Amino acid sequence: MTPLAASPLWRRFWVAGALCVPLVAFGMRPLSGWGYAGWLQLAAATPVFFWCGAPFLRSWWDSLRTREADMFTLIVTGTGAAYLYSAGAVAAGSFAGIFAPLYFEAAAVTTAVVLLGQILEHNARAHTRDAVEALLRLAPPTAHRIRAGEEEDIPASDVAIGDLLRVRPGETVPVDGGVIDGQSDVDESLLTGEPEPADKRPGSRVSAGTLNRTGTFVFRAERVGADTLLAQIVRLMETAAAERAPLARLADRVAAWFTPAVLGAAAATFAGWLWLAPAHRVGPALEHAVAVLVIACPCALGLATPLALVAGVGRGARAGVLVKDPAALEPLAAASVLLVDKTGTLTTGHPQVVAVRPGPNLTTGQLLAVAAAVETASEHPLGRAVVEAARGRGLEIPAAADFAAEPGSGVSARVGGRLVRVGRAPDDDAEDTLPGATLIAVAIDGEAAGTIALADPVKPGAAAAIAELHGLGLKVTMLSGDRAATAYGVAAQLELDDVHAEVMPERKLAIVRELRQQGQRVVFAGDGLNDGPALAAAEVGVAMGTGSDLALQAAGVVLVGGELPALGRAVRLSRAVVRVIRQNLAFAFLYNLLGLPVAAGLLDPVTGRELSPVVAGAAMSLSSLCVVANSLRLRRLKL
């Protein structure tokens, strides 16, 4: 169906819903001798069928032109037969005194329910557009250009390759380039997902959208406009979202053969009655043929999927699983591979002190206290972690003076009259101390005083969550922008099936595509800006509720508390919803399959009379009630 804006769909839905109320009330009355009530029903049903259902009529016509039957073909064929037959019955009753059953309420209710389903799908598409717009807002609107020794502010869109640009503390890098002067720590979580800022000095590369934290630096613009890495990520998001083919719903697949079967049965019924009955009995032949189409009107079928989705979404919300896109539940139920980001998903996303090794003549508490004294004035994530560790242990943090930050080297201050320097130790030293950890060295008056190791710890319950996902039949693979040692250390701790380290956003997207091409049903779980393209490209994107706005917008499912155990609940929920949908469809189609021969008149010779309209109406109601009751079971589902 051609996508419509949300507001027109809502208007059509509310109009249809309001007009369904009197139609259902009229439908509960006896279907003979209804007088003016028939014209009132016709007046209420006409705008529902032609205006509220206009998008479905267009899709129905397109399906006839392309000869590709789908759910809308079946819906409009059934509702159209119900509406047109009922309109003819109203005219016949008024002018000829011949009263026949009316099925206006079935046509109207089906149209309203399917409109609600289309609104849910539209909202899911809107989330991807919001995610792309959020990415575009990351680039700053202005840049500080240096020309002939003078600095001027210009629109970022006017930056040309070769321009010299200055970036001050707290500012966002406007374009891609190479640093030629100055030093600073730059937050590149947009690209790597890692919370620890990257050291930038002459020769380093910087990218648009990344955040400068401490120092000031000058860089030469090398990639601008649509060529920046940020612009490439935006294109990846758009391309990945566009590549997601519309979900092939079970109802569509069944409708592809059921619709031609119903049309064939109606034609065979008409021909059979003409052959068996005298020529002057064209009326009964037409009545039975139309009855076949009317009884195939998918009222219960129209309720089968939306009701189960609504009940499942509500149950998930109470369990901390927010289903933003109900269409994500079917592929989540069939998932075979879970790709998961490390930082913020498997780990807390915040560095913590994991080891303190003081030198001679110092205790662990003394080393941590003097390091915290220096770091109190620092805004670096590692420095804040040191201060939090000292406070968490109840240490008294002494006062510091003459604080100085040297980007790329560390920080220093005078504590108790002595010069204390705190800076990163060589990576080799860190690996010897604790694989995957970041090691900072403390020096007092130029003498080594000890080291402090920091790491991003695994979230509590992550190991049990991975084990549960394995039990559900999923292969779990970690994709991380972090160093190989850190990534493999976490993977070993959690017993993951596979791991990819030091991967950029485009590589994450490529891995998702490769697995899908191999026939795998891929779920991606992440929380960072760099996860956006992969979240959009996977069959189901799952975001941590504590993650970035971009991840939340790009995902179809959000784990509200940001805890991985909720992912197991999401998988169980999706499987239960799909199971109920299949049961509902079985109820709906079983009713149609049993009702079609009765409507065709095959039992007339046995019973001696035609199908009673009252019985037909009761049967349709019973079918819908079965679907409603079965769907409501999801509200009591144990997760």
Side-chain angles (χ1 to χ4, degrees):
M1 189 183 76
T2 303
L4 294 175
S7 53
L9 281 177
W10 273 115
R11 285 196 296 269
R12 293 174 193 269
F13 171 73
W14 288 122
V15 170
L19 292 175
C20 279
V21 174
L23 285 171
V24 172
F26 278 124
M28 297 174 65
R29 298 175 58 184
L31 297 178
S32 61
W34 23 253
Y36 288 108
W39 289 103
L40 293 176
Q41 291 184 65
L42 176 61
T46 297
V48 175
F49 182 72
F50 286 104
W51 184 75
C52 299
F56 311 144
L57 291 172
R58 288 194 293 269
S59 294
W60 174 78
W61 178 247
D62 290 340
S63 70
L64 293 183
R65 288 191 301 105
T66 59
R67 299 180 181 179
E68 294 181 358
D70 58 12
M71 184 65 182
F72 295 110
T73 313
L74 178 58
I75 288 172
V76 176
T77 298
T79 57
Y83 172 80
L84 294 175
Y85 176 79
S86 300
V90 169
S94 298
F95 299 113
I98 302 173
F99 294 97
L102 303 181
Y103 296 101
F104 286 122
E105 77 281 359
V109 169
T110 301
T111 300
V113 170
V114 177
L115 271 173
L116 179 59
Q118 290 301 302
I119 290 171
L120 294 175
E121 291 187 12
H122 176 276
N123 289 340
R125 289 192 295 268
H127 290 315
T128 298
R129 292 196 298 271
D130 292 342
V132 172
E133 292 173 0
L135 268 177
L136 293 173
R137 289 194 295 269
L138 291 174
T142 60
H144 311 304
R145 183 172 64 186
I146 302 173
R147 179 171 290 181
E150 298 292 330
E151 186 174 315
E152 59 178 342
D153 288 348
I154 63 171
S157 57
D158 292 345
V159 174
I161 295 176
D163 283 349
L164 298 182
L165 306 174
R166 186 186 305 278
V167 182
R168 302 187 181 97
E171 293 182 340
T172 303
V173 179
V175 298
D176 295 359
V179 177
I180 61 172
D181 184 46
Q183 285 184 294
S184 185
D185 293 322
V186 176
D187 182 351
E188 294 185 323
S189 58
L190 164 70
L191 306 178
T192 66
E194 303 311 312
E196 185 179 337
D199 175 33
K200 300 297 180 182
R201 58 184 67 205
S204 300
R205 322 300 301 175
V206 291
S207 299
T210 56
L211 178 64
N212 181 34
R213 283 190 174 274
T214 53
T216 298
F217 62 88
V218 175
F219 74 101
R220 178 175 283 107
E222 297 177 352
R223 291 190 295 185
V224 301
D227 294 329
T228 65
L229 188 55
L230 177 61
Q232 292 177 30
I233 294 177
V234 170
R235 287 198 297 274
L236 289 175
M237 279 285 298
E238 294 173 331
T239 302
E243 287 179 352
R244 293 181 67 181
L247 181 64
R249 297 183 183 277
L250 182 59
D252 282 339
R253 296 194 291 270
V254 177
W257 63 263
F258 187 74
T259 301
V262 169
L263 294 176
T269 299
F270 183 77
W273 275 90
L274 282 182
W275 178 62
L276 293 173
H280 66 276
R281 297 197 65 188
V282 174
L286 179 62
E287 181 178 344
H288 280 289
V290 172
V292 170
L293 295 176
V294 170
I295 208 165
C297 181
C299 188
L301 183 61
L303 295 170
T305 299
L307 278 179
L309 290 177
V310 169
V313 168
R315 179 64 186 93
R318 297 198 306 273
V321 178
L322 176 61
V323 182
K324 293 171 54 185
D325 180 7
L329 290 174
E330 184 180 356
L332 180 59
S336 57
V337 175
L338 169 63
L339 301 179
V340 60
D341 178 48
K342 179 182 73 69
T343 306
T345 304
L346 295 175
T347 64
T348 63
H350 305 288
Q352 296 180 15
V353 173
V354 294
V356 181
R357 297 190 175 181
N361 305 320
L362 280 178
T363 65
T364 297
Q366 289 172 334
L367 178 64
L368 191 58
V370 295
V374 177
E375 296 286 7
T376 299
S378 172
E379 295 185 356
H380 196 287
L382 297 182
R384 292 197 299 270
V386 170
V387 175
E388 290 174 1
R391 290 173 176 168
R393 300 186 186 191
L395 301 177
E396 182 177 349
I397 301 176
D402 301 329
F403 174 82
E406 302 174 8
S409 299
V411 293
S412 64
R414 290 197 173 274
V415 180
R418 306 178 70 182
L419 180 62
V420 180
R421 292 182 180 276
V422 181
R424 177 173 292 190
D427 288 341
D428 290 342
D429 293 345
E431 295 302 322
D432 291 340
T433 302
L434 185 65
T438 297
L439 195 67
I440 61 174
V442 181
I444 300 177
D445 289 336
E447 297 291 333
T451 57
I452 300 174
L454 300 99
D456 183 9
V458 169
K459 284 184 176 181
I466 297 299
E468 180 184 13
L469 292 168
H470 281 150
L472 291 170
L474 274 72
K475 177 182 178 182
V476 185
T477 298
M478 183 174 71
L479 307 183
S480 175
D482 208 345
R483 295 173 300 168
T486 302
Y488 280 99
V490 172
Q493 185 177 349
L494 296 177
E495 298 183 356
L496 302 181
D497 298 294
D498 199 1
V499 59
H500 297 267
E502 301 178 17
V503 291
M504 301 295 279
E506 62 270 21
R507 179 55 187 156
K508 290 185 178 182
L509 177 60
I511 293 172
V512 171
R513 288 173 172 167
E514 289 169 5
L515 289 171
R516 294 193 64 178
Q517 289 173 358
Q518 295 170 10
Q520 300 285 352
R521 306 298 296 270
V522 181
V523 176
F524 186 93
D527 78 325
L529 295 169
N530 61 315
D531 297 324
L535 284 167
E539 288 190 272
V540 182
V542 179
M544 302 294 112
T546 53
S548 68
D549 290 341
L550 175 66
L552 296 176
Q553 291 165 351
V557 177
V558 176
L559 307 184
V560 178
E563 299 301 327
L564 202 60
L567 185 53
R569 296 196 292 272
V571 173
R572 290 196 299 274
L573 173 69
S574 67
R575 293 179 178 178
V577 170
V578 170
R579 183 168 59 250
V580 168
I581 288 175
R582 288 174 176 165
Q583 293 169 351
N584 287 349
L585 292 174
F587 279 132
F589 280 110
L590 180 62
Y591 158 75
N592 283 316
L593 292 175
L594 294 177
L596 285 176
V598 179
L602 296 182
L603 299 184
D604 287 5
V606 178
T607 62
R609 62 187 202 181
E610 299 175 0
L611 177 67
S612 167
V614 176
V615 175
M620 296 177 81
S621 299
L622 179 61
S623 176
S624 297
L625 286 174
C626 289
V627 167
V628 171
N630 194 45
S631 298
L632 292 180
R633 291 192 304 112
L634 289 169
R635 299 175 61 182
R636 301 186 300 274
L637 179 68
K638 291 184 178 181
L639 295 176

